[in-house]
Amino acid sequence: MNQVPFFLLAITFAGLLSIGCGNNNTASKTSTDSASAFDIHAMKKTIEEKDNGFAKAFITGDSATMVNSFTEDGKIFPPNSDAVIGRSAIAGLVSQYLKFGIKEFRDETTALYGNEDNLIEEGNYFRGDGKGNTIDKGKYIDVWRKVDGDWKIYSEIFNTSIPAAPSK
């Protein structure tokens, strides 16, 4: 399947469950017609561990781990900005984000579906200053791709759930 249409379909939600992974499985259904059936429940634990590692790297300022969480051709679609494509561009974005003083970072996976090559993760995030104040909270979609046996983020889009300040 062409990678660009796969991504566009995943992000626009059009036929996400039926088209996004090239089959008609639902989010909770896994393949059971072979001895090596893909176990989406086991993958959820793997992705949550990856998310926790990313969050720890963010809090400690480990930009290398953050950047290397993405594929070489990885993409981030941040709010109020153009797409950031490729690890070197992602490194620039990460260095900007590390200046925000984030001391708490949590992801909550709310849905995960896909196959042994590509996964789509939906979730909510929270970023705080470590003093009880919310810096940002919102929702995200990550498209994960298996690269040399390791899961990397191929594409990420996120946006805040905090209402914009009224214009003056």
Side-chain angles (χ1 to χ4, degrees):
M1 176 179 261
N2 187 325
Q3 292 176 356
V4 174
F6 166 76
F7 172 73
L8 292 174
L9 290 170
I11 296 304
T12 61
F13 302 102
L16 192 55
L17 294 175
S18 63
I19 298 171
C21 300
N23 60 37
N24 289 325
N25 287 350
T26 64
S28 62
K29 186 176 178 183
T30 58
S31 173
T32 57
D33 44 350
S34 72
S36 62
F38 182 70
D39 185 352
I40 196 73
H41 300 292
M43 288 314 309
K44 185 174 182 188
K45 182 177 179 187
T46 298
I47 295 304
E48 287 174 344
E49 288 171 0
K50 293 275 186 182
D51 287 341
N52 290 338
F54 186 91
K56 180 179 178 185
F58 202 118
I59 291 167
T60 61
D62 182 356
S63 60
T65 295
M66 293 172 67
V67 171
N68 287 322
S69 296
F70 290 84
T71 62
E72 288 288 341
D73 57 347
K75 301 173 181 100
I76 300 177
F77 297 87
N80 306 313
S81 180
D82 293 331
V84 177
I85 302 171
R87 277 192 185 153
S88 63
I90 289 170
L93 182 66
V94 163
S95 70
Q96 292 175 23
Y97 283 166
L98 288 176
K99 296 175 184 174
F100 291 157
I102 294 171
K103 300 298 179 194
E104 294 176 78
F105 188 118
R106 291 188 304 275
D107 286 333
E108 172 197 9
T109 303
T110 58
L112 183 70
Y113 32 93
N115 59 35
E116 59 276 350
D117 297 316
N118 294 291
L119 295 168
I120 300 169
E121 175 191 18
E122 297 176 6
N124 299 304
Y125 67 85
F126 172 83
R127 297 174 187 158
D129 66 359
K131 299 175 185 173
N133 298 308
T134 300
I135 293 174
D136 191 18
K137 64 180 181 175
K139 56 268 180 212
Y140 66 93
I141 295 178
D142 284 345
V143 177
W144 292 84
R145 182 159 290 159
K146 191 181 270 187
V147 177
D148 297 328
D150 191 19
W151 288 97
K152 303 277 185 181
I153 302 168
Y154 169 69
S155 184
E156 177 177 75
I157 187 166
F158 63 96
N159 56 65
T160 188
S161 293
I162 297 174
S167 59
K168 296 180 182 187

